[in-house]
Amino acid sequence: MRWFIFIIIYILVDIYAFQAIKTITKNPWVHGFYVFISLAVLAGLIYELSFLGSAKMMEPPKMYFFGIFLAVFVPKLIIIVFMFGEDIARFFVGIFMKVAGSDNSQFMASRRKFVSTIALGIAAIPFASLLYGMIQGKYNYKVLKYALEFDDLPDAFDGFTLTQISDIHSGSFDNHRKVAYAVNLINEQQSDVILFTGDLVNNIADEMNDWKELFSTLNARQGVFSVLGNHDYGDYVSWNSASEKAENLQKLKMVQKEMGWNLLLNENRYFERDGQKIALIGVENWGLNGFKQSGDLDKACEGISDNDFKILMSHDPSHWQAKVKDDPRHFHLTLSGHTHGMQFGVEIPGFIKWSPIKYRYKNWAGIYEEFGRYINVNRGFGFLGYPGRVGIWPEITVIQLKKKQNTV
């Protein structure tokens, strides 16, 4: 029934959008090509989605047909908005001209062709953008650098740098050379520490089989530290048993250990310099709206003084809004990911920063500050679902901690 309703909606949208094509050209080859593409995309999408949620899939689907579906379906929605508006206008203009006794057939045909041409021209923009996002955008890595000042940063850590990456989603990758370029780009930052804030895989630990060696080359003076994201627990596939699911999670933890990463499971570590120290705290995933809540801030802070300078890794930025920012223990900097910036949006620094994800998450990309406490929401290293990115590029974040200089 679910597929039946989806197919009916898809066909209705297709038929209505097809009216614009028919208005522009009467060529049967063009019409046939349109129908062929529509049916091929629908069949491919159904085939691809039928594998989702299966723990037996050693190689998860790359979602190419889903990406192509978006690239052809979203423009059709734009077309039908124009065509529906034109149909309404035709109805009222037709009534007016009939009352006036005018022959409106030539005018209406000319108007219909003009509107169809405009609709197709505008629809070409998201079509081209979504295709570009699949071919180039998903590996268009950006290094974003920030300097944050704190009154109570220990003097010895003035200039301490950290590189944050998040949401690798290794099961979605399809280009080893470009991912290797990004890993090298991370190492080129020569930060004191590299911090990964969750979602190493889409669902299954075996997704890292082809990538473990590459990501084990990440290095920093203080090491690589990580936490789990919601996808790392394997909650979105059907397992044969609870023990099989638990085994998958244990395997994922071992993968990180084998790569030389330090996985923090509601734990903390200290970095020390010249007799001074700052605390790194890592919690398991804690989210709202049905996402797993395994994060235990109290447990993670055991042995940490309230006066310590604290960096918190928590995958879901909802945690910061709901629990962290108002906590009296004062977490100076929180690092999150999870949102991916929806992999779609418009960002022009200093002018606009928009994505549909902003209507769900208050903190969805970049640096935010409240009460002298900061959160950085990384836009993600990889991609999930739509196999591309448009306007919201994969991110490597470099943050330098600075001691605030008090001026009199």
Side-chain angles (χ1 to χ4, degrees), residues 31 87 103 129 147 152 161 282 289-290 299 397:
H31 297 175
D87 283 342
D103 180 9
S129 297
D152 52 352
T161 60
N289 301 316
K299 181 180 178 182
T397 312

Side-chain angles (χ1 to χ4, degrees), residues 291-302:
F291 288 109
K292 182 178 287 292
Q293 294 189 348
S294 295
D296 188 332
L297 204 53
D298 293 332
K299 181 180 178 182
C301 288
E302 289 179 359

